Structures are given as structure tokens and as C-alpha cells.
Amino acid sequence: MNSALPRRMFLAAGLGLFVARPALGQRQMHANLGVPAMKIRDLYPLITTPALAEACDFYVTHFDFQVAFEASWFVYLTGSGEDGTRGATLAFMHPDHPSNPPGPEAFGGLGMILTVETSDAASLFERLQRGGAPIVYPLTEEDWGQRRLMTRDPAGILVDVVEQIEPAAGFWDQYMVKE
């Protein structure tokens, strides 16, 4: 793999499952050509959990999120971006909420990983340990090019903290998609 290519181009959900794909402008366009592109203002997970206050406190305490909106059954959090990035948003809703969307059941904790990318995973690892957050995967340097660790929030979500580093020489050669 050409190490001059941006590493972010290969990050897929923080799982180390990297796939090289053409840039969006190079892909086949949607069948509705001529239709104005949809403008997305934000995209965030909304996790239903009875541990609403605990989940809020977890992200405020360990990841410096701020409460942008809070009600007795809903909390909307924002995290500041680094070096010009837009930051992140995250929301939690109590199962006993008064709104009526489908799927009000509480999240069961399986099948979801929330990836938090940082420029200093080691410092965040120390901070999480000092703060009493559960460490379910210790700080590790992965051959695919990440320094990472995992914790679990009070709602049961696995939180994968990643820092992009140089991959081991030749690691990606065997996984590159041939066109």
C-alpha cells in the first residue's frame, strides 16, 4: 500500500476492517440524476436506555461532551472537534419517553460499537482508567494502523477509542480490493 494515501480513507467503523473505495465523486451516481443532493445537518445515534443520567455523565466526564439539550426523558450531547473537525453529537432517550417512534425498546448492548477517534489514545486511556471507566480492551497498537482501546458505557455500548498510526509494512497488501 502506498503510505502517502490518507489513512482515514481506510477506516471503517473503527473495527480495523479497511477497504479501499473510490472517492464519492468517482462512484456510480444514484439513479435519480438531476435531483438536488440531500443536505444533512447532522447524523447521530439515539440510544434508548434506562441509564439515561448515567450515560450522559459518562460522556461528559470521560469525553468532555457538553449537554446541548436535556429533558427528563431525552439528552442531546455535543463534543468539540479537534483541529478543524466538526466534532460529534450523541443522544440518549429513556424507554418511558412520551414520543411515539417505532422501536422504543431499550438497547441491549450487543452489536453496536461507537468509535471515538482521537489524536492521543494513550492520554485518553490514562484518563479513563483514572476516572474509573471500565476498560474492556487495553491500549494496543494494531498492525492495521490504529492505537486503540475499548470501554463500555452505562447503556451497554462498546466504545472503541482509536488513534490512527502507521500500519505495519505490507499489512494492507493482502486486503486491497482489486478493480
Side-chain angles (χ1 to χ4, degrees), residues 124-139:
L124 192 46
F125 177 69
E126 291 175 19
R127 177 181 177 158
L128 290 166
Q129 281 188 309
R130 278 193 316 271
I135 303 298
V136 298
Y137 187 78
L139 186 64

Side-chain angles (χ1 to χ4, degrees), residues 8-51:
R8 290 180 195 272
M9 176 176 172
F10 300 105
L11 177 62
L15 296 175
L17 302 175
F18 295 73
V19 179
R21 298 274 187 220
L24 287 177
Q26 298 171 341
R27 290 188 132 190
Q28 180 74 21
M29 298 306 292
H30 190 273
N32 294 331
L33 295 176
V35 175
M38 182 185 301
K39 304 285 186 199
I40 306 292
R41 293 188 65 193
D42 199 357
L43 179 100
Y44 57 90
L46 172 57
I47 297 97
T48 303
T49 177

